Amino acid sequence: MRHLLATALVCVLTLTISALIFADEQGSPSAAVENSLGMKFVLVPAGEFLMGSDESPDVLSKDYPQYEHRRVQELGDEAPVHRVRITQPFYLGQFEVTVGQFRKFLEASGYIPESVADGTGGYGYNANYDPTKSDSGDAFEGRNPKYSWHNPGFVQGDNHPVLNVTWNDAVALTKWLSDKEGVKYRLPTEAEWEYACRAGTRTRYASGNDPESLIKIANIFDADAKGYWSRWAQFALSGHDNFAFTSPVGSFAPNSWELYDMHGNAWEWVSDWYANNYYAKSPLDDPQGPADGIVRVRRGGSWHTWSLYARSSYRNWISPNSRYSLVGMRLLREVQNAKRAT
């Protein structure tokens, strides 16, 4: 434990020093930028952190008593905790990509999202749908052509996070923006995402270890949502975040790096393929994930996610062409002519 605390302190100090060095050498890049679609990005400095979690199933079972023990036993892919260096600063979307921004992309590019192009649609909320009578037992109805990025089965405004987008849709958006603006856009790596989510913390959430602390910073499964899914009421936070479904992006407090909704609202695609043993062989500098795979990683949880699965270290995965009423995206914009931290 002393070793981990000491390492964490070194990481924080290195992060601060790296940021100062970068600002000095690069002529102080803007702390925030806005692109042609109205997406705002904040500068995340180069630095180091401890990635993952080594909390034992017994500890998690004690603190999350409503969960079956098998659920905490399935979290072994968060270990081992390992040191990661992010050697270059980057801009990360201050907010998740919104419905309105995605619509502008479609109108300008002519791109057709997979949920529409393949004719199978996505998933959505239907008050008359009974999960216990479906083959999948899924919480949402689908796939169905009536559900897509513009209809997740409930009302969204243009300032809500876009949902039912595939990994391929997200990559198409980054490529179009890169070509249009002459600046490299991409999805963050899993390491970059967790680094930005933690923002210097080592707690379960950016808000601390207590799941109830999420009410201040995240839209997840809580007292407002459980009325729609009473069978899972035991997993709801006791507090109210005032949203049963998605909320406008930025409705809650940001983390210390001014990033909003890193926990909750919409799951966010990252660039990595998934492998449950990757952390054991992950490189120190800028890990990119496995060279290949079958499923891609998503991070952060959603408006329907239980608190155990909204932790900073939690990893989830689905196929690149999956589209779901809980899954959206956040983009990364590279800093031009950035120098590596040394």
Side-chain angles (χ1 to χ4, degrees):
M1 179 62 71
R2 288 181 179 177
H3 171 71
L4 287 177
L5 289 174
T7 304
L9 179 58
V10 170
C11 290
V12 171
L13 291 173
T14 302
L15 171 67
T16 303
I17 293 170
S18 296
L20 293 173
I21 290 174
F22 174 78
D24 181 62
E25 292 183 350
Q26 298 294 311
S28 298
S30 299
V33 296
E34 185 171 335
N35 72 6
S36 58
L37 292 181
M39 299 175 182
K40 296 180 180 180
F41 294 79
V42 296
L43 184 67
V44 176
E48 300 183 10
F49 78 114
L50 296 175
M51 186 172 184
S53 171
D54 58 3
E55 290 193 277
S56 71
D58 288 342
V59 168
L60 290 171
S61 287
K62 179 181 177 181
D63 290 353
Y64 297 85
Q66 67 273 46
Y67 294 82
E68 301 166 84
H69 194 63
R70 68 170 179 83
R71 289 188 178 274
V72 296
Q73 290 179 311
E74 294 170 347
L75 303 175
D77 62 353
E78 298 177 17
V81 172
H82 55 290
R83 180 172 162 240
V84 170
R85 283 205 323 165
I86 303 299
T87 66
Q88 298 188 60
F90 57 89
Y91 288 110
L92 190 63
Q94 190 169 27
F95 310 99
E96 293 161 334
V97 175
T98 66
V99 172
Q101 291 163 348
F102 193 69
R103 179 184 293 109
K104 289 180 181 178
F105 156 61
L106 299 183
E107 292 172 348
S109 68
Y111 177 78
I112 302 176
E114 285 193 282
S115 62
V116 177
D118 65 17
T120 65
Y123 285 78
Y125 171 71
N126 181 347
N128 297 317
Y129 165 76
D130 185 352
T132 64
K133 296 180 180 178
S134 69
D135 292 336
S136 66
D138 197 280
F140 299 93
E141 182 182 40
R143 292 184 187 179
N144 190 309
K146 70 181 179 181
Y147 299 122
S148 67
W149 68 273
H150 58 77
N151 178 27
F154 51 86
V155 176
Q156 287 191 299
D158 275 0
N159 59 349
H160 285 235
V162 66
L163 306 171
N164 269 322
V165 287
T166 68
W167 186 90
N168 299 315
D169 291 338
V171 170
L173 172 55
T174 65
K175 289 181 177 178
W176 180 81
L177 273 172
S178 297
D179 291 342
K180 174 179 172 56
E181 299 185 3
V183 180
K184 176 69 173 179
Y185 288 88
R186 57 179 173 83
L187 292 176
T189 65
E190 191 173 7
E192 288 168 335
W193 188 95
E194 186 171 325
Y195 174 65
C197 178
R198 289 188 178 280
T201 66
R202 273 300 302 162
T203 47
R204 292 169 181 160
Y205 316 101
S207 53
N209 284 323
D210 182 2
E212 294 293 335
S213 69
L214 285 170
I215 289 294
K216 300 177 182 178
I217 67 165
N219 176 16
I220 69 167
F221 195 63
D222 70 333
D224 293 298
K226 72 177 182 180
Y228 293 86
W229 291 274
S230 57
R231 64 180 298 201
W232 295 303
Q234 70 191 90
F235 301 109
L237 296 181
S238 63
H240 293 262
D241 62 22
N242 298 316
F243 295 97
F245 297 93
T246 53
S247 57
V249 298
S251 294
F252 299 85
N255 69 14
S256 61
W257 289 355
E258 293 301 311
L259 296 166
Y260 293 80
D261 300 314
M262 294 298 289
H263 301 284
N265 220 13
W267 285 99
E268 300 173 12
W269 288 110
V270 297
S271 62
D272 303 38
W273 291 109
Y274 172 80
N276 63 2
N277 62 350
Y278 180 70
Y279 282 9
K281 54 189 176 184
S282 176
L284 169 63
D285 289 349
D286 303 314
Q288 302 294 303
D292 53 33
I294 300 174
V295 289
R296 296 284 185 177
V297 180
R298 60 180 184 175
R299 287 298 210 112
S302 75
W303 59 272
H304 195 264
T305 298
W306 307 342
S307 59
L308 179 66
Y309 304 122
R311 292 172 301 112
S312 300
S313 59
Y314 180 67
R315 310 174 70 201
N316 199 281
W317 61 94
I318 46 177
S319 63
N321 69 351
S322 294
R323 67 298 304 262
Y324 202 54
S325 48
L326 308 180
V327 183
M329 58 178 143
R330 183 187 307 261
L331 305 188
L332 181 150
R333 171 174 162 154
E334 294 186 354
V335 176
Q336 293 178 298
N337 303 317
K339 293 183 180 179
R340 291 183 179 274
T342 57

